[in-house]
């Protein structure tokens, strides 16, 4: 039995059974024959961006129809993970057999066996009987997969030609084959270099030289580029009579430097290196053939910590189909390209194209948004996106990515390119299966980087985009003779075109074109001395800005202080308007394409270009920045006690959504408010494992505090009129020289900032100890004593507060100490009291900690461990999950269940790896 997708879709020579949708479903399952395909991927592949209501049920109906028409012995198996085609393996599917043969042929060539390489690659190419997936091209997944397979076919064709030349075959037949391929891909330089060598090998030197002149002229005329090193070397070899001398077969993406494709709308101009990024002077190591990644062993209910998924698009994709095809080919597994950077001005559509291509690439993709980070925070953004807890160290990031075939989409690199580029380079060098797709206004500048420049849309594409967005703004709009004029005046930049189309709600196309006026010249010939992002898009935004009312402009400028988007309630508070007015203003700005609304309707955000433009128009004395800081300080202080109660998970999720703005508030805050914000956020950072990522912000705040900069409010932050006294006086009894005197009782907040900063400064630690132990009133932050004990060591003189959570936590501590001393009854009593206290509060972390201790005393510990594990999993506390899994594995092993023990150990290892934690012993 053979399933053919490389040409007409057939099953054992007969047309594929079923209707169009059933055939599309079968083809999608065949591409992963023998492996489970998730329900979500199947729904997206079969139904696209607008699935029917009850899509899962609709898919199940299609699966039932497919089962009825499949050949005997072949079926579709369902599991909680998705659907899997059974009875058909990789050797039964021409696509999978082609991929195997192409890989084996490439490896044979790299190993110095051109005869075997030629045989394997010929066999692989013989499987092609027409365009890939030709009969299911109307379905969303097919175009990207077909582009990927076509790229692999061209690589195999070139590899086969190289092997045949190296094995001294008669080049005459090869000349004819390469002539056909070169006609279809005239600017593919490696292909043309092989054609030149084949012609010369067949004794047709004049034709070889003519072929070189042809491609050299085409490169200069169409791309303004010189021939690549490989093409020039082929030309020189013909001139010297050495057409095939020194020719070696290479594995795609490895070995000697190879120049990539340079074809318009088929892919980017790339740097010469195709292999993995490596240190200068080091030879590449042979990478072994790897089996496809398998799902890790874990129990249901825990996704340790979840990487950032690709954001869902808010509108349909229009206008860059050819770039999407070329980018898809670059991202294909067999392309050999591991770093692609989309470069171009703001508003060119880099992010949207990157997300579209990544969504079609298949496999695991993680989105790293650098738009809201400041200097020194890029690594932290990578860590948050990957779910790596408590650190942004490159080696821990590499550990989390090791052996994972992941595509990282790194967005908005330009303002942190100096720190992003070295980090990307290090990750690529350490993680051989990692690929990176970056967007930036400038190249990262890494060897092996493939650049895909994005500028203006083609005229027809810009007009199509205008028509689509215009129809959305004004239902029934189908076009106008002056649309081309408007698009040309706007340089064909997608953001400018979309903003113009949005004005069709209130203007005709004639009015729109007439009102552009002098802006035509401004948009096409901007000030060369101005910042790059203002040369064209600033004019587009300024024009749209001029159409706003004064109230809208003021509100939009105030929205610019938000770095991660805002809820309507936050926008009202910071914007200084009533909630109902804020709703109206947000709706108006959304309609005018200046604000985006998330699909769930909960948050609103500006495009970064518009946000930057609006921020420049915010007066220096505007109250919005101070209101933003006050709002997020109030939010953090409101959330603090909730993190020790039944609403813990809800508040953790809310703080996750506000993380970028909480950090922005901390950077902007006065020293006094900064200390208060650190104190309020300490439990959140602990539970989410973020202390390592915010340590730099805390250290910066300490410098400002100790320098005596700023004026703040009173003890509870509600009266900014009271002074925040900063100065250096002499300590009392500690003998450590000058000691900070903090006015109005902010010593505890200073101590928490010291612990969070992790500077290791003993003077600061001793200063903090004195501030904590000399105070008369109880600690305000219940986490202070716990964090001090875990970071510095137990301190009996701390005035612990007398709230229910602190009492329960003290009982947990006493219980665990009693366990260490072997005092079982004391331990049981303390831990039981703690468990009752935490259960009464509904607090998950404390409850799990008490259960963990009681399990050590129980005759039947497994139920207690299972409950504790479920609670830790719900919080995403990877360190505790790993520890508990290892403890449970030991229990299973002692109880004679080695299989369960092995499963828990494997799951602990996988959890630690994905969270960037040290691997368990």
């Amino acid at each position: 039995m053979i399933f053919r997708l490389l040409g007409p879709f057939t099953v054992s020579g007969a047309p594929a059974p079923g209707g169009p949708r059933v055939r599309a479903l079968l083809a999608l399952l065949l591409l992963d024959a023998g492996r489970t395909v998730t329900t979500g991927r199947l729904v997206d592949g079969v139904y696209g961006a607008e699935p029917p209501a009850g899509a899962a049920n609709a898919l199940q109906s299609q699966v039932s129809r497919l089962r009825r028409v499949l050949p005997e012995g072949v079926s579709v198996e369902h599991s909680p993970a998705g659907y899997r085609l059974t009875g058909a393996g990789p050797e039964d599917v021409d696509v999978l057999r082609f991929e195997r043969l192409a890989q084996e042929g490439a490896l044979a060539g790299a190993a110095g066996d051109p005869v075997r390489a030629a045989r394997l690659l010929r066999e692989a190419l013989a499987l092609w009987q027409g365009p890939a997936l030709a009969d299911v091209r109307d379905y969303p997944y097919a175009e990207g997969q077909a582009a990927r397979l076509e790229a692999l076919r061209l690589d195999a064709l070139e590899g086969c030609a190289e092997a045949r030349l190296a094995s001294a075959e008669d080049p005459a037949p090869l000349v004819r084959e390469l002539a056909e391929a070169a006609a279809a891909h005239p600017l593919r330089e490696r292909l043309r270099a092989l054609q030149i060598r084949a012609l010369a090998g067949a004794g047709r030197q004049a034709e070889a030289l003519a072929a070189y002149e042809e491609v050299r002229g085409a490169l200069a005329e169409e791309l303004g580029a010189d021939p690549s090193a490989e093409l020039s070397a082929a030309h020189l070899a013909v001139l010297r009579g050495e057409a095939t001398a020194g020719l070696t077969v290479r594995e795609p993406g490895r070995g000697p430097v190879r120049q990539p494709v340079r074809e318009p709308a088929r892919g980017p101009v790339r740097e010469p290196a195709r292999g993995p990024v490596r240190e200068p002077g080091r030879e590449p190591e042979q990478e072994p053939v790897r089996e496809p990644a398998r799902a890790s062993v874990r129990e249901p209910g825990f996704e340790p910590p979840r990487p950032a998924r690709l954001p869902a698009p808010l509108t349909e994709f229009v206008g860059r189909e050819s770039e999407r095809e070329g980018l898809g080919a670059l991202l294909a597994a067999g392309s050999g390209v591991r770093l692609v950077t989309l470069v171009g001005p703001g508003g060119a559509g880099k992010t949207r194209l990157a997300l579209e291509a990544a969504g079609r690439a298949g496999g695991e993709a993680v989105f790293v948004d650098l738009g809201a980070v400041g200097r020194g925070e890029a690594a932290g953004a990578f860590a948050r996106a990957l779910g790596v807890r408590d650190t942004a160290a490159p080696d821990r990031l590499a550990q989390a990515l090791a052996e994972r075939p992941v595509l990282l989409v790194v967005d908005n690199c330009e303002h942190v390119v100096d720190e992003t580029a070295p980090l990307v380079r290090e990750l690529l060098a350490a993680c051989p299966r990692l690929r990176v797709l970056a967007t930036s206004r400038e190249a990262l500048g890494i060897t092996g980087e493939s650049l895909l420049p994005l500028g203006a849309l083609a005229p027809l594409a810009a007009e199509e985009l205008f028509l689509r967005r215009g129809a959305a703004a004004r239902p029934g709009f189908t076009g106008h003779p002056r649309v081309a004029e408007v698009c040309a005046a706007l340089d064909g930049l997608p953001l400018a075109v979309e903003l113009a189309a949005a004005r069709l709600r209130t203007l005709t196309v004639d009015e729109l074109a007439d009102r552009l006026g002098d802006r035509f010249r401004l948009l096409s010939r901007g000030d060369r001395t101005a910042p790059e992002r203002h040369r064209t898009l600033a004019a587009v935004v300024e024009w749209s800005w001029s159409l706003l009312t004064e109230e809208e402009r003021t509100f939009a400028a105030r929205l610019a202080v938000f770095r991660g988007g805002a809820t309507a309630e936050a926008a009202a508070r910071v914007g200084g308007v009533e909630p109902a007015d804020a709703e109206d203003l947000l709706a108006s700005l959304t309609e005018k394409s200046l604000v985006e609304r998330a699909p769930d309707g909960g948050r609103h955000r500006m495009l970064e270009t518009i946000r930057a433009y609006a921020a420049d128009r915010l007066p220096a004395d505007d109250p919005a920045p101070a209101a933003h800081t006050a709002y997020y300080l109030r939010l953090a202080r409101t959330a603090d006690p909730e993190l020790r109660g039944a609403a813990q998970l809800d508040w953790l999720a809310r703080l996750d959504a506000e993380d970028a703005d909480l950090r922005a508030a901390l950077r902007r805050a006065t020293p006094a408010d900064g200390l208060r914000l650190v104190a309020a956020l300490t439990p959140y950072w602990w539970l989410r494992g973020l202390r390592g990522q915010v340590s730099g912000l805390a250290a910066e705040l300490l410098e400002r505090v100790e320098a005596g900069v700023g004026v703040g409010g009173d003890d509870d932050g509600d009266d900014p009129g009271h002074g925040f006294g900063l100065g250096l006086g002499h300590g009392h009894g500690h003998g450590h020289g000058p000691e900070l005197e903090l006015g109005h009782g902010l010593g505890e907040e200073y101590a928490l900032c010291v612990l969070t900063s992790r500077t290791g400064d003993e003077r600061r630690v001793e200063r903090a100890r004195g501030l904590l132990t000399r105070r008369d009133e109880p600690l305000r932050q219940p986490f202070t004593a716990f964090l001090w004990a875990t970071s510095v060591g137990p301190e009996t003189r701390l005035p612990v507060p007398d709230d229910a959570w602190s009492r329960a936590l003290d009982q947990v501590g006493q219980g665990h100490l009693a366990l260490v001393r072997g005092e079982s009854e004391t331990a049981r009593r303390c831990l039981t009291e703690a468990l009752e206290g935490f259960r009464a509060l509904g607090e998950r972390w404390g409850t799990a900690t008490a259960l963990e201790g009681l399990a050590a005393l129980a005759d039947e510990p497994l139920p207690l461990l299972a409950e504790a594990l479920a609670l830790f999993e719900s919080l995403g506390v990877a360190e505790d999950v790993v520890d508990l899994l290892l403890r449970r594995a030991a229990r299973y092993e002692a109880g004679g269940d080695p299989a369960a023990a092995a499963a828990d150990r494997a799951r602990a290892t996988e959890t630690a790896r994905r969270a960037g934690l040290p691997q368990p012993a």
Side-chain angles (χ1 to χ4, degrees):
M1 183 188 310
I2 184 72
F3 294 86
R4 295 193 178 278
L5 295 167
L6 301 175
F9 189 6
T10 63
V11 179
S12 297
R21 190 158 278 153
V22 168
R23 291 196 297 274
L25 175 61
L26 174 58
L28 186 51
L29 289 168
L30 285 169
L31 291 171
D32 283 282
R35 296 194 293 268
T36 299
V37 184
T38 65
T39 300
R41 184 178 162 202
L42 290 173
V43 168
D44 290 344
V46 174
Y47 295 106
E50 298 181 0
N57 291 333
L59 176 65
Q60 191 173 23
S61 298
Q62 296 298 331
V63 171
S64 297
R65 295 188 182 98
L66 176 58
R67 287 187 180 121
R68 290 196 292 269
V69 299
L70 283 172
E72 185 177 354
V74 182
S75 186
V76 180
E77 179 183 273
H78 180 252
S79 71
Y83 293 88
R84 181 169 69 95
L85 193 69
T86 62
E91 289 303 299
D92 299 319
V93 183
D94 63 350
V95 167
L96 303 182
R97 191 173 180 204
F98 163 73
E99 290 177 335
R100 177 185 64 79
L101 289 168
Q103 185 180 46
E104 290 178 3
L107 290 174
D113 189 351
V115 174
R116 183 168 181 267
R119 177 177 58 79
L120 289 167
L121 292 170
R122 269 182 169 140
E123 186 179 350
L125 292 167
L127 292 169
W128 284 73
Q129 299 180 0
L133 303 173
D135 292 343
V136 293
R137 280 292 181 92
D138 292 337
Y139 288 86
Y141 70 89
E143 185 175 353
Q145 287 286 349
R148 177 184 72 84
L149 291 168
E150 175 62 16
L152 289 177
R153 186 189 71 82
L154 289 171
D155 279 346
L157 176 66
E158 291 168 344
C160 184
E162 200 160 31
R164 290 165 66 180
L165 288 172
S167 59
E169 280 190 23
D170 178 9
L174 184 59
V175 167
R176 292 190 294 272
E177 296 170 24
L178 291 176
E180 294 177 3
H185 304 278
L187 298 182
R188 190 172 175 102
E189 292 179 87
R190 186 187 180 208
L191 179 64
R192 298 306 299 269
L194 289 166
Q195 182 193 23
I196 290 167
R197 289 183 182 273
L199 284 166
R204 297 158 66 174
Q205 281 80 3
E207 292 178 61
L209 294 174
Y212 173 78
E213 289 302 322
E214 176 191 333
V215 68
R216 185 188 65 80
L219 287 169
E221 181 178 349
E222 296 190 33
L223 299 177
D226 294 326
S228 66
E230 184 170 14
L231 195 55
S232 297
H235 177 233
L236 185 60
V238 175
L239 294 174
R240 291 176 175 174
E242 304 168 345
T244 59
L247 191 63
T248 58
V249 182
R250 293 158 288 186
E251 181 182 354
R254 294 187 174 275
V257 173
R258 184 180 81 185
Q259 289 292 327
V261 182
R262 288 183 182 168
E263 291 191 65
R266 290 183 180 270
V269 178
R270 289 182 273 180
E271 295 294 330
R274 292 285 304 268
V277 177
R278 53 182 180 269
E279 293 295 330
R282 289 184 58 185
E283 291 300 316
E285 297 177 358
Q286 182 66 38
E287 181 181 354
V289 180
R290 296 185 174 87
E291 292 295 321
R294 303 294 182 187
S296 58
V297 180
R298 68 179 64 146
E299 292 183 359
F302 180 54
E303 192 68 23
R306 183 173 298 171
R309 295 180 297 178
L310 299 178
L314 302 179
T315 55
E316 60 184 332
F317 184 80
V318 180
R320 293 205 185 276
E321 288 77 10
S322 59
E323 290 94 335
R324 181 178 64 188
E325 180 182 347
L327 183 55
L330 284 173
L331 296 176
S335 71
V337 178
R338 300 185 60 216
L339 171 61
V340 180
T341 304
L342 304 180
V343 292
K350 301 183 295 294
T351 300
R352 182 59 194 275
L353 176 59
L355 293 174
E356 184 76 11
R360 289 166 166 256
E364 183 181 5
V366 176
F367 185 70
V368 183
D369 185 8
L370 301 180
V373 307
R375 292 196 177 277
E377 297 177 2
F382 276 74
R384 290 191 297 277
L386 290 166
V388 173
R389 292 172 55 84
D390 207 37
T391 183
D395 59 333
R396 295 279 286 278
L397 298 177
Q399 183 183 21
L401 287 166
E403 302 305 319
R404 286 167 64 187
V406 179
L407 173 64
L408 277 189
V409 181
V410 186
D411 195 35
N412 295 309
C413 300
E414 56 271 358
H415 61 299
V416 285
V417 67
D418 290 342
E419 58 192 270
T420 301
L423 178 58
V424 168
R425 185 185 188 282
E426 189 167 345
L427 292 177
L428 286 168
C431 306
R433 304 183 74 186
L434 173 67
R435 294 171 296 152
V436 176
L437 172 58
T439 73
S440 180
R441 295 182 190 179
E442 62 179 297
L444 299 188
I446 301 174
T447 300
E449 180 182 26
S450 294
L451 301 180
L452 181 53
L454 292 186
L457 290 169
L460 290 178
E463 293 167 35
E464 175 67 11
L465 178 61
F466 187 97
L467 292 175
R468 299 279 189 93
R469 300 296 185 259
R474 193 171 79 194
F477 177 72
T478 58
H480 190 279
R482 297 185 71 182
V483 166
E485 176 187 341
V486 171
C487 293
L490 296 176
D491 293 332
L493 288 170
L495 177 60
V497 171
E498 289 186 325
L499 289 171
R503 291 300 300 150
L504 292 184
R505 299 186 183 100
T506 55
L507 299 175
T508 66
V509 176
D510 282 326
E511 290 171 332
L512 187 64
D514 292 339
R515 289 184 63 170
L516 287 173
D518 291 340
R519 292 175 175 85
F520 288 4
R521 290 192 296 273
L522 180 63
L523 289 170
S524 60
R525 294 189 298 274
D527 182 359
R528 294 179 182 274
T529 65
E532 182 176 348
R533 68 185 182 186
H534 288 167
R535 291 178 188 171
T536 56
L537 276 182
V540 175
V541 180
E542 181 179 353
W543 167 63
S544 185
W545 189 269
S546 69
L547 301 178
L548 299 177
T549 66
E550 186 62 34
E551 184 183 20
E552 288 172 339
R553 283 197 290 269
T554 300
F555 187 72
R558 290 174 176 174
L559 278 182
V561 302
F562 290 95
R563 298 308 304 265
T567 62
E569 186 256 343
R573 292 286 186 90
V574 174
V577 298
E578 293 297 320
D581 294 333
E583 292 281 0
D584 291 342
L585 287 165
L586 287 169
S588 178
L589 292 173
T590 301
E591 289 174 0
K592 295 173 182 178
S593 300
L594 287 167
V595 168
E596 290 182 339
R597 187 172 185 174
D600 61 6
R603 299 183 71 79
H604 301 76
R605 65 179 294 270
M606 286 179 162
L607 295 173
E608 179 56 26
T609 301
I610 297 174
R611 194 203 67 78
Y613 181 94
D616 286 344
R617 276 138 189 83
L618 188 69
D621 59 350
D622 193 275
H628 178 272
T629 300
Y631 175 83
Y632 281 100
L633 175 58
R634 185 163 49 248
L635 175 67
R637 299 179 98 174
T638 301
D640 176 27
E642 299 293 344
L643 295 178
R644 296 184 291 278
Q648 190 175 51
L649 292 182
D650 292 338
W651 279 94
L652 284 172
R654 181 168 180 184
L655 293 178
D656 286 343
E658 302 288 4
D659 183 61
D661 277 288
L662 288 166
R663 297 185 194 217
L666 183 56
R667 283 190 291 267
R668 183 187 292 126
T670 64
D673 281 345
L675 290 177
R676 295 182 179 109
L677 194 52
V678 166
L681 290 173
T682 292
Y684 167 64
W685 290 335
W686 173 269
L687 290 171
R688 281 299 195 229
L690 298 175
R691 287 174 62 222
Q693 296 178 25
V694 298
S695 59
L697 282 175
E700 179 185 317
L701 175 61
L702 283 176
E703 295 292 339
R704 290 196 287 133
V705 168
E706 291 168 355
V709 177
V711 174
D714 63 2
D715 220 18
D716 60 11
D718 292 330
D719 182 2
H722 287 281
F724 174 61
L726 291 174
L728 290 176
H730 290 283
H732 303 282
H734 288 279
H736 291 284
E739 189 166 318
L740 189 69
E741 292 180 353
L742 295 169
H744 302 295
L746 288 175
E748 180 181 357
E749 288 78 359
Y750 174 84
L752 284 168
C753 195
V754 169
L755 295 177
T756 302
S757 71
R758 298 183 172 185
T759 60
D761 188 329
E762 289 299 324
R763 283 191 317 112
R764 283 175 171 168
V765 172
E766 288 306 311
R767 183 182 298 143
R769 189 193 304 274
L771 289 168
L772 291 177
T773 56
R774 290 201 307 269
R775 59 186 291 130
D776 297 325
E777 68 277 9
L779 298 171
R780 287 187 295 273
Q781 172 54 267
F783 247 87
T784 302
F786 169 74
L787 191 59
W788 186 275
T790 57
S791 301
V792 180
E795 174 57 68
T796 58
R797 294 174 293 170
L798 295 184
V800 178
D802 190 32
D803 63 289
W805 188 87
S806 297
R807 290 194 298 271
L809 184 65
D810 181 61
Q811 290 295 320
V812 162
Q814 295 300 325
H816 279 279
L817 287 174
L819 274 176
V820 173
R821 294 192 297 263
E823 301 169 1
S824 300
E825 289 307 315
T826 301
R828 182 175 286 105
R829 175 178 54 78
C830 290
L831 291 167
T832 299
E833 290 181 13
L835 179 62
E836 291 172 355
F838 284 128
R839 284 198 193 280
L841 291 169
E843 204 271 285
R844 290 166 175 78
W845 179 80
T847 300
T849 304
L851 286 168
E852 183 182 6
L854 287 170
L857 300 167
D859 295 330
E860 294 291 337
L862 292 179
L864 297 175
L865 290 174
E867 184 181 354
L869 186 60
L871 290 168
F872 282 142
E873 288 170 346
S874 70
L875 292 167
V877 189
E879 298 95 329
D880 293 306
V881 169
V882 169
D883 182 61
L884 217 55
L885 284 169
L886 294 175
R887 288 188 55 189
R888 193 170 70 171
R891 285 285 186 173
Y892 277 133
E893 201 162 58
D897 192 347
D904 269 1
R905 286 198 178 92
R907 188 171 159 212
T909 299
E910 173 67 7
T911 301
R913 184 184 68 77
R914 294 181 71 89
L917 299 173
Q919 287 295 295

